[in-house]
Amino acid sequence: MGRPPCCDKVGIKKGPWTPEEDIILVSYIQEHGPGNWRSVPTNTGLMRCSKSCRLRWTNYLRPGIKRGNFTQHEEGMIIHLQALLGNRWAAIASYLPQRTDNDIKNYWNTHLKKKIKKYQTAVDSYKTSSGSGSGSGSATSTASHHQELTPRGYNAEAPTLPRFGQAASTYASSTENISRLLEGWMRSSRKANTSTTAATTTTTTCLRLQQQQSVNNAPPLSQEELESLLSYEHLGGGTGWEKSSAESSLHGRALSTVADDDYEAKPRLDHTQQQQQPQPLSMLEKWLLDEATGQVEGLMELSDAMF
DNA sequence: AAAGTTATCAACCGCTTTTCG
DNA sequence: TCGAAAAGCGGTTGATAACTT
């Protein structure tokens, strides 16, 4: 507190990173390892503040980061975890090890928020038309679970990220990130971007439906669409949750308990280790599964309450 | 075809928490 | 134990592509 902002100095560049800057940063980190960010701009000649370098590395250049193409499974997990944990993106990201909190946050704000709002509208109109007005108990239940699970500090239940310097063996895969970034940089059009994902397609479909509905003054969603949104599989539960273990982050995490203290004491394994060491579901994860099967409605009500 | 609007996401901001000397 | 630096975090902004009028 009270420190001057690190990026206010004259000559500090802002805005998008160029591939050249990325390459400089990655090669420096490959050579020296991440950490000591203060010295990075000085030693590399990058006209960026140390914080900017760190963020660029952690959010985009770090090995093992998956970008775009959110699967339905990931989408479901985000929706569910957001209902449980609120906007604690780092905690949510800890369940999706290949995703950064920033990425999840953006995806939530741009896609899922709308989707849930739309879903809630559908539920409300469905309830109104069918004449049932009650049913807030599960929401309360979910909220109380939330409180129980997050009694203390702000990242209490999130597995802590490894400190820089602990994952120094995996820099090689940064080249993948770099080439991907270069690819993106060279694309003149954003058209060819990663917008053809199932998730985006679903969102687009929803938006188109919404447009049609607003024109026709029709109910927000058909029963089929509603059920599709509600389905357990869509929420990342059921067979989808269990069978997709190869891509499931749950199996890889170094979690054995939900106790906050233990959680904090157990740093996440790096991604190689995660892929090799399937772990049994923790109590929280089991509970998540239970929630997904039984309290979808409550989840949606809770989500709605946050808007 | 141009202008206006909306959607997307990388990057920044400002604050809190953690680490370290 | 204390203070400074580093790291972590969530919210917000700004540039630009895509879409609509």
Side-chain angles (χ1 to χ4, degrees):
Chain A
M1 279 188 277
R3 273 185 300 131
C6 72
C7 300
D8 283 356
K9 290 176 192 165
V10 179
I12 294 295
K13 189 183 166 190
K14 291 187 180 182
W17 279 68
T18 63
E20 290 81 8
E21 289 177 308
D22 284 339
I23 289 165
I24 290 170
L25 181 58
V26 169
S27 15
Y28 180 82
I29 291 170
Q30 281 177 338
E31 199 176 333
H32 299 93
N36 196 10
W37 294 104
R38 208 180 188 195
S39 67
V40 173
T42 327
N43 294 345
T44 59
L46 284 167
M47 303 304 284
R48 301 276 180 175
C49 68
S50 55
K51 186 175 179 176
S52 185
C53 293
R54 179 171 57 81
L55 283 172
R56 183 65 185 171
W57 170 258
T58 50
N59 283 337
Y60 299 97
L61 303 175
R62 186 163 53 94
I65 288 178
K66 183 177 159 194
R67 300 193 54 72
N69 297 332
F70 275 80
T71 63
Q72 283 205 341
H73 175 241
E74 288 174 315
E75 202 175 287
M77 281 186 74
I78 294 167
I79 291 171
H80 202 75
L81 287 163
Q82 203 279 342
L84 296 172
L85 304 171
N87 294 355
R88 296 162 74 177
W89 307 115
I92 292 170
S94 70
Y95 288 85
L96 298 159
Q98 294 180 308
R99 303 291 186 178
T100 66
D101 53 353
N102 206 38
D103 216 14
I104 292 171
K105 179 174 61 182
N106 280 332
Y107 190 68
W108 171 265
N109 286 331
T110 57
H111 294 85
L112 300 179
K113 216 168 163 179
K114 286 179 214 160
K115 211 171 183 177
I116 287 175
K117 204 168 183 177
K118 172 143 189 62
Y119 164 79
Q120 183 58 43
T121 312
V123 169
D124 286 348
S125 65
Y126 181 71
K127 277 184 183 173
T128 310
S129 65
S130 63
S132 75
S134 64
S136 59
S138 51
T140 315
S141 159
T142 311
S144 69
H145 270 298
H146 179 190
Q147 283 195 324
E148 285 164 22
L149 286 161
T150 58
R152 294 194 275 105
Y154 111 143
N155 59 348
E157 75 295 322
T160 51
L161 287 164
R163 280 278 180 217
F164 282 146
Q166 291 182 332
S169 61
T170 52
Y171 300 147
S173 53
S174 285
T175 51
E176 286 174 31
N177 290 341
I178 285 288
S179 62
R180 227 172 36 223
L181 288 159
L182 276 168
E183 223 174 276
W185 182 270
M186 287 162 79
R187 267 198 296 266
S188 56
S189 166
R190 221 173 156 172
K191 215 172 185 177
N193 213 333
T194 56
S195 58
T196 52
T197 67
T200 317
T201 308
T202 313
T203 310
T204 310
T205 309
C206 284
L207 289 171
R208 289 203 180 124
L209 275 167
Q210 196 169 23
Q211 285 160 2
Q212 285 172 10
Q213 283 149 7
S214 66
V215 169
N216 302 333
N217 198 24
L221 280 176
S222 73
Q223 186 63 28
E224 263 186 5
E225 289 161 346
L226 220 158
E227 279 169 7
S228 156
L229 269 170
L230 267 171
S231 73
Y232 183 25
E233 188 180 329
H234 182 83
L235 282 172
T239 54
W241 188 298
E242 287 170 7
K243 285 183 183 171
S244 62
S245 57
E247 61 178 284
S248 167
S249 59
L250 291 176
H251 282 178
R253 287 182 299 106
L255 273 175
S256 59
T257 172
V258 286
D260 289 348
D261 292 337
D262 286 347
Y263 231 133
E264 283 177 326
K266 290 179 179 144
R268 278 161 50 181
L269 299 173
D270 67 47
H271 294 117
T272 316
Q273 285 174 295
Q274 287 177 22
Q275 280 160 12
Q276 288 169 352
Q277 298 182 5
Q279 297 289 322
L281 295 180
S282 71
M283 284 167 64
L284 173 58
E285 289 150 5
K286 284 174 184 165
W287 179 75
L288 275 168
L289 278 166
D290 292 344
E291 281 288 301
T293 49
Q295 298 191 11
V296 171
E297 193 172 308
L299 150 71
M300 291 307 177
E301 284 173 2
L302 187 68
S303 297
D304 185 61
M306 292 168 182
F307 300 127

